[in-house]
Amino acid sequence: MLKYWLAALTALTLSACSAVPDELAVAENTNLVKYSTALENPEATQGQTARWGGVIAEVRNNNQGTIIEVVNYALNSYGRPIAEDSSDGRFRAFIDGFIDPMVYEKGRSVTFTGTIGAPVEDKIDEYPYLFPTLNVSGKYLWKEIDKNTAEVDYSSLWYRHYWYSPPYRVYYPVPVRSQQKSDNDGSN
């Protein structure tokens, strides 16, 4: 009997593991270099495999391919960037071929896998910055998350179901949350 419980517990534990998308998968037992490690010691990490992600800051296409500048954020267990109020910095992803800037638009979450390249010195506005680079072998553009709000219906249970309701509705004052903006801005 104990064998069955252990088998069920093992199956439940393994099914709880989340998997990264196929586009971001790397070989098993591959040591992935963290962004902070590449930022601190860029020359020692060149040529090693990494999985970095964040929010797109800029997309530029040229004759050699596409350069995507990304604000780096930590990744969750399945590789999606966790946008926070602070970031470790930025990196540049080099992709062979054309990437449409209307699809990979500014503000979208993206994750890349690839090999770390030589860092590039450039500027963010007028501030000089050393960008770690990633030669991309896999990319994944995350869908935007819809943040729906839940509304509470304070009407009686009888009147929620139109099959049983009378042809009129009884209205009475209840607290209601509304997302409509008022035309009155406080000035008269």
Side-chain angles (χ1 to χ4, degrees):
M1 187 68 172
L2 184 61
K3 292 189 298 186
Y4 296 118
W5 281 105
L6 287 175
L9 184 62
T10 303
L12 184 63
T13 304
L14 291 176
S15 67
C17 296
S18 61
V20 296
D22 292 338
E23 295 87 347
L24 301 175
V26 295
E28 194 172 332
N29 297 329
T30 301
N31 290 331
L32 297 173
V33 177
K34 293 183 179 181
Y35 174 80
S36 57
T37 306
L39 191 62
E40 294 168 2
N41 198 355
E43 287 79 24
T45 58
Q46 286 184 28
Q48 295 181 16
T49 305
R51 181 185 299 134
W52 298 340
V55 176
I56 297 173
E58 184 179 6
V59 177
R60 288 180 280 160
N61 288 295
N62 58 31
N63 292 338
Q64 289 79 31
T66 302
I67 302 169
I68 300 180
E69 189 173 308
V70 180
V71 178
N72 183 63
Y73 289 113
L75 303 177
N76 61 16
S77 61
Y78 53 92
R80 186 182 186 112
I82 305 168
E84 300 172 336
D85 289 337
S86 63
S87 168
D88 293 335
R90 294 186 181 195
F91 69 91
R92 288 195 174 154
F94 294 108
I95 302 171
D96 292 333
F98 175 78
I99 297 294
D100 194 342
M102 292 301 288
V103 176
Y104 282 73
E105 64 184 339
K106 183 177 180 178
R108 294 281 307 266
S109 294
V110 66
T111 304
F112 297 109
T113 55
T115 57
I116 300 173
V120 174
E121 289 186 38
D122 205 351
K123 291 185 177 184
I124 300 174
D125 293 330
E126 295 300 317
Y127 185 80
Y129 193 80
L130 182 67
F131 289 94
T133 61
L134 192 64
N135 298 316
V136 175
S137 60
K139 60 187 181 300
Y140 193 83
L141 184 65
W142 297 94
K143 294 185 187 311
E144 295 181 27
I145 299 174
D146 293 333
K147 295 184 179 180
N148 297 330
T149 58
E151 296 286 332
V152 178
D153 186 5
Y154 289 101
S155 62
S156 65
L157 183 60
W158 180 265
Y159 293 112
R160 286 189 207 163
H161 305 288
Y162 295 111
W163 179 264
Y164 299 108
S165 66
Y168 57 89
R169 175 125 181 178
V170 177
Y171 293 100
Y172 50 90
V174 294
V176 176
R177 195 174 358 156
S178 176
Q179 294 184 1
Q180 296 177 354
K181 295 187 178 183
S182 174
D183 292 336
N184 186 3
D185 61 357
S187 61
N188 291 330

